[in-house]
Amino acid sequence: MPPLCTYVARVSDGLPLVASFSPSSANLEEEKNQAKQILRKLTTGPTSRMSIDTGRNFCFHYVIRDNLCFLTLTETSYPKRLAFLYLEEVAHALWEELLNQNTQNPRAVIDSISRPYALIQYDTLLAKYQRDFADPTTKQNSSKLSQDLSDITSIMKQNIEQVLDRGEKLEHVSKISSNLVSESKKFTW
């Protein structure tokens, strides 16, 4: 099942700028209202991505980037990692479109918007990505997940190597410290 709906909203005030709904999202009025509540309550903070269970076999996922919130609704069976990859790709594509369409700073354009759904012309962009991510088992989506997991694995290996290096350095400092203590005992009064 594809992402059922996707919203892009300004984080500072929760103003929805663009939304896209899949054809199968017709009976999701309660979830659409929940999405609007989530967007209104968001603030910029340490949590830039999160999943929220609706309690009705659906899950909201959001990513905050450049003071914009990218929120999508999926079934709980849809892979979370793929949902976040979807949101990251939507965020990147929308930002690129804004850069290409506006000669001025896109940040200024977004900050100056005063009416809801002012960027509705980008709903086709969202719909395209919804179609691309509709089936989590496609080869394309599986390879995206594999690549993401490979990236995470390499980062984890790098972190472990850094921790081991720190451990070796701490051991060395500890030995030097012990030697200094034993040598300093020779000079007691």
Side-chain angles (χ1 to χ4, degrees), residues 135-158:
D135 185 2
T137 60
T138 63
K139 186 174 181 176
Q140 180 185 9
N141 287 335
S142 294
S143 71
K144 287 178 186 179
L145 282 173
S146 294
Q147 180 60 41
D148 189 49
L149 290 174
S150 295
D151 292 347
I152 290 170
T153 303
S154 68
I155 291 169
M156 290 302 293
K157 285 180 182 178
Q158 210 173 18

Side-chain angles (χ1 to χ4, degrees), residues 5-7 9 14 21 28-42 54 60 69 71-73:
C5 63
T6 303
Y7 289 88
F21 304 95
L28 298 175
E29 289 307 314
E30 183 178 336
E31 284 75 14
K32 290 176 184 177
N33 288 332
Q34 286 177 344
K36 291 173 185 172
Q37 287 176 349
I38 291 169
L39 293 172
R40 279 192 296 266
K41 292 180 182 179
L42 281 178
T54 65
F60 285 107
C69 177
L71 176 82
T72 191
L73 177 70

Side-chain angles (χ1 to χ4, degrees), residues 101-128:
Q101 300 279 327
N102 298 301
T103 55
Q104 57 179 283
N105 181 2
R107 171 90 274 126
V109 171
I110 290 168
D111 290 342
S112 68
I113 293 173
S114 60
R115 62 180 176 81
Y117 303 103
L119 300 178
I120 198 67
Q121 70 268 26
Y122 298 111
D123 68 335
T124 55
L125 177 77
L126 298 181
K128 175 197 173 297

Side-chain angles (χ1 to χ4, degrees), residues 4 31 53-59 73-78:
L4 300 170
E31 284 75 14
D53 192 347
T54 65
R56 283 188 20 163
N57 199 31
F58 298 109
C59 190
L73 177 70
T74 64
E75 291 183 340
T76 53
S77 61
Y78 194 82

Side-chain angles (χ1 to χ4, degrees), residues 7-11 13-18 39 67-71:
Y7 289 88
V8 179
R10 199 167 44 203
V11 174
D13 57 3
L15 182 72
L17 303 174
V18 62
L39 293 172
N67 198 33
L68 291 176
C69 177
F70 299 86
L71 176 82

